Amino acid sequence: YAVDLAARTARVAPADVLELAAGTGVLTRELARTLPTDTRLVATDINAPMLAEAAAVGSARPVEWREADALALPFADAVFDAVVCQFGAMFFADRPRAYAEARRVLRPGGRLLFNVWDRLESNVYADLVTQALAALFPADPPRFLARLPHGYHEPAQIAEDLRRGGYAAAPHCTCLTFASRAASADAVAFAYCHGTPLRHEIEAHGAGALAAATAAAATRIGQVCGDGAVEAPVQAWVIEVARD
């Protein structure tokens, strides 16, 4: 998805690019490889330790790393040609406000480009993990994956939020499906249960819950995807909208 979003950004031929919710820099590094070397690239995130990790990993060319809240960007009006965000919009506390801030810093004719995960049922690993945890903790199943990463996927809702953010043009929405591969079901289960905020909901179930949840998730993924290396579809929406 980073390769796709970077290519779409490059087609805008921007002189100045702002990335929101850059995290540890997966999209940032792809943008650095894809965009011309004279394109200014500013990568921001509200989480300073994640930006520090991204900067430590490095990129193909210099990047301006800035701690910034997408709801209150520390930039002047109309200074970027493209604002991009990979799998971050789902977590914005006020999406119309974040989109309005992106619009404010865009030059007329500039583009906002972002992607969001599609519904849980269209993303096999996340769905299987959620199923496994529901069976393990039936009285209070951890629903983080359904609620946030996969909870903002309706094009009509996204279009309405963009309209409320001040965009007059209708967004272009593209649904993309790719294959996600991993060395094993255990690796996938560990990534979801230990490496996402889902972990906090699991650990709320007490001592031993994290180990039990990881094992249950691995078993469920293995039942569907098989032993050894695994592969399953992941699906997301890519949104592009122009600033008037």
Side-chain angles (χ1 to χ4, degrees):
Y1 288 100
V3 172
D4 171 79
L5 201 54
R8 292 172 189 269
T9 305
R11 288 197 288 270
V12 176
D16 300 278
V17 175
L18 172 65
E19 183 185 358
L20 306 178
T24 56
V26 174
L27 175 60
T28 317
R29 289 186 286 277
E30 193 59 39
L31 289 167
R33 283 190 290 266
T34 304
L35 297 173
T37 56
D38 59 349
T39 302
R40 179 191 179 205
L41 177 55
V42 182
T44 67
D45 198 282
I46 198 171
N47 188 311
M50 294 186 79
L51 279 182
E53 175 69 16
V57 172
S59 55
R61 61 180 179 81
V63 171
E64 297 178 39
W65 305 98
R66 292 281 302 273
E67 184 178 353
D69 184 348
L71 275 60
L73 294 172
F75 304 104
D77 296 354
V79 290
F80 293 100
D81 303 299
V83 175
V84 298
C85 182
Q86 172 151 288
F87 299 129
M90 308 91 76
F91 299 97
F92 294 154
D94 186 336
R95 297 182 189 109
R97 181 176 171 184
Y99 298 151
E101 274 293 275
R103 183 182 180 278
R104 179 183 64 77
V105 302
L106 279 170
R107 296 181 176 115
R111 293 295 185 105
L112 171 62
L113 307 98
F114 63 98
N115 52 22
V116 294
W117 291 116
D118 197 4
R119 66 184 69 248
L120 186 70
E121 294 77 11
S122 298
N123 288 271
V124 171
Y125 293 144
D127 192 26
L128 293 175
V129 170
T130 302
Q131 290 176 23
L133 299 187
L136 186 64
F137 307 113
D140 183 21
R143 294 284 296 171
F144 167 77
L145 297 176
R147 188 176 67 256
L148 274 174
H150 299 279
Y152 185 57
H153 52 74
E154 292 292 346
Q157 179 63 62
I158 295 168
E160 173 60 16
D161 288 345
L162 287 165
R163 186 195 66 78
R164 291 173 59 199
Y167 295 83
H172 180 71
C173 304
T174 304
C175 190
L176 290 182
T177 304
F178 291 120
S180 178
R181 301 177 181 88
S184 66
D186 288 341
V188 177
F190 187 90
Y192 276 99
C193 295
H194 290 249
T196 76
L198 175 63
R199 177 175 182 155
H200 304 306
E201 292 188 13
I202 295 171
E203 290 179 326
H205 287 271
L210 184 60
T214 306
T219 297
R220 184 69 184 115
I221 293 167
Q223 290 171 343
V224 174
C225 301
D227 299 326
V230 293
E231 178 178 315
V234 289
Q235 190 162 291
W237 286 97
V238 184
I239 315 299
E240 301 179 56
V241 63
R243 183 212 192 281
D244 52 296

